[in-house]
């Protein structure tokens, strides 16, 4: 017998986002051993600059890894540590977070809490800020995993803030008010606004004007703001990234909570203070990584454009928000799912359907580009061209 928490559907594991992963794991692509397998384009992982990190580690492997001036730090690491994280690591992490944000903002290490990844940080915030049955407003489209991470164990509800392609999925004042009204109809108490900046899956960052809109709205409603900024280090093009701290109003300063991570910037879920302390290396790494992300995105966008498929203009992230509405048999979410199944099963491409991100319009897909070799991305584009040919009955050169 299992608990109702385990058997309920609020975990979101039946989403097409996770089902695609299951299909991939049954038949994963390998250029040598399984060249006809499914290519994983649903994983927002940054592998483009692993060689830089590997070179750093090779140069800095030392026998005295646990040594410091005055003796070994082994005892310091082995004995009791502050619940909020190692002070030394928090110091260099705060400095790195500021540098990624062009030193426009500073982070107080006394207000910095370390967790095992952004997922647990987001869930912890839900436990701290809301009661079961309370709600958070989230702009759509949003990362499919939030249905699990924010709701499942906390009992918190998500009310979508709807957006559309007519204004490139920008958040509007009317959409914010409509979401509040929807929460009221559902008898839900709104405790906060949850944003992802830069956006996953859009790959766009919020402007200062948009942030001011969100802050003013939250002040008027007397609610919290959680700003998930884990993609802040992936901004590879203009406009520059603007953290919500830059727009912070003293009236809401105690109700704004920022989530950050190293997994998207450095491609390392578990990094070390020693790497972050190497300012020269980090500076060069960030610049080169942004260059590689920009070039890789250009490669995907250019390849898709030749097939007649367009992408939302973006400046950040590890993915593109791809418009495949012309390939739908009808402008419905049922047709979107049929197209997605065809991509996975017949053309060996696992991408994330817009419906899994709660997009209000069928036909949009999140396609990741930074988790594979260049040759694999080229093959992915060829498979998409074949998909277009099969759907539209044309031969795309």
């Amino acid at each position: 017998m299992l608990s109702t928490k385990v058997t309920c559907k609020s975990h979101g594991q039946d989403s097409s986002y996770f089902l695609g992963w299951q299909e991939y794991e049954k038949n994963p692509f390998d250029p040598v051993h399984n060249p006809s397998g499914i290519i994983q384009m649903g994983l927002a992982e940054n592998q483009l600059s692993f060689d830089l990190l590997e070179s750093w580690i090779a140069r800095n492997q030392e026998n005295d890894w646990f040594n410091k001036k005055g003796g070994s730090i082994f005892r310091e690491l082995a004995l009791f540590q502050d619940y909020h994280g190692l002070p030394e690591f928090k110091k260099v992490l705060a400095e790195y977070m500021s540098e990624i944000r062009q030193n426009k903002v500073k982070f107080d290490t006394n207000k910095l809490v370390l967790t095992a990844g952004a997922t647990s940080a987001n869930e912890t915030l839900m436990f701290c800020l809301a009661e079961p049955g309370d709600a958070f407003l989230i702009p759509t489209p949003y990362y499919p995993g939030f249905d699990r991470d924010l709701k499942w164990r906390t009992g918190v509800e998500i009310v979508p803030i709807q957006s559309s392609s007519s204004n490139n999925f920008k958040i509007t004042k009317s959409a914010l008010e409509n979401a509040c009204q929807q929460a009221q109809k559902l008898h839900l108490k709104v405790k906060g606004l949850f944003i992802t900046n830069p956006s996953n899956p859009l790959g766009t960052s919020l402007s200062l004007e948009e942030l001011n809109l969100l802050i003013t709205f939250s002040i008027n409603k007397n609610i919290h703001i959680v700003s998930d900024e884990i993609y802040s280090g992936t901004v590879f093009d203009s406009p520059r990234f603007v953290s919500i701290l830059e727009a912070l109003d003293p009236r809401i300063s105690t109700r704004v909570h920022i989530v950050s991570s190293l997994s998207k910037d450095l491609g390392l879920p578990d990094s070390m203070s020693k790497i972050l302390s190497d300012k020269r290396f980090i500076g060069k790494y960030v610049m080169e990584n942004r260059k590689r992300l920009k070039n890789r995105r250009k490669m995907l966008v250019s390849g898709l454009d030749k097939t007649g498929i367009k992408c939302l203009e973006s400046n950040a992230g590890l993915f593109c928000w791809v418009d495949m509405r012309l390939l739908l048999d009808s402008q419905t979410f049922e047709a979107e799912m049929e197209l997605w199944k065809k991509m996975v099963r017949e053309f060996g491409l696992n991408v994330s359907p817009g419906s899994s991100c709660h997009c209000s319009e069928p036909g949009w897909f999140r396609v990741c580009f930074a988790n594979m070799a260049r040759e694999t991305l080229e093959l992915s584009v060829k498979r998409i061209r074949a998909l277009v040919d099969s759907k539209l009955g044309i031969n795309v050169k």
Side-chain angles (χ1 to χ4, degrees), residues 260-281:
S260 193
S261 171
L262 294 175
S263 63
K264 308 302 181 182
D265 299 354
L266 293 170
L268 288 175
D270 300 303
S271 189
M272 296 167 288
S273 59
K274 196 164 186 180
I275 295 179
L276 296 181
S277 297
D278 189 339
K279 304 297 184 183
R280 184 178 180 183
F281 168 76

Side-chain angles (χ1 to χ4, degrees), residues 289-354:
N289 186 57
R290 287 173 175 168
K291 178 182 176 182
R292 294 184 184 187
L293 285 172
K294 184 175 182 178
N295 290 338
R296 184 57 66 88
R297 178 191 179 278
K298 182 179 179 180
M299 176 182 169
L300 175 60
V301 171
S302 175
L304 294 179
D305 187 64
K306 292 176 181 177
T307 72
I309 294 177
K310 304 297 182 181
C311 301
L312 182 73
E313 188 172 345
S314 60
N315 67 318
L318 311 175
F319 32 73
C320 286
W321 189 237
V322 181
D323 184 358
M324 294 191 180
R325 288 177 290 182
L326 81 164
L327 301 183
L328 299 183
D329 293 332
S330 62
Q331 295 301 309
T332 64
F333 287 109
E334 290 77 13
E336 178 184 279
M337 289 306 299
E338 288 304 313
L339 178 61
W340 172 73
K341 291 176 183 177
K342 190 178 187 71
M343 280 192 277
V344 174
R345 296 170 181 173
E346 297 180 30
F347 292 87
L349 297 167
N350 178 41
V351 299
S352 304

Side-chain angles (χ1 to χ4, degrees), residues 6 10 29 92 106 115 143 167 190 258 285 321 327 378:
V6 171
S10 62
F29 169 82
V92 294
K106 299 295 181 183
T115 65
Y143 166 56
N167 70 342
V190 176
I258 293 179
Y285 174 90
W321 189 237
L327 301 183
E378 290 174 343

Side-chain angles (χ1 to χ4, degrees), residues 1-8:
M1 297 291 290
L2 298 176
S3 70
T4 55
K5 181 68 69 178
V6 171
T7 56
C8 73

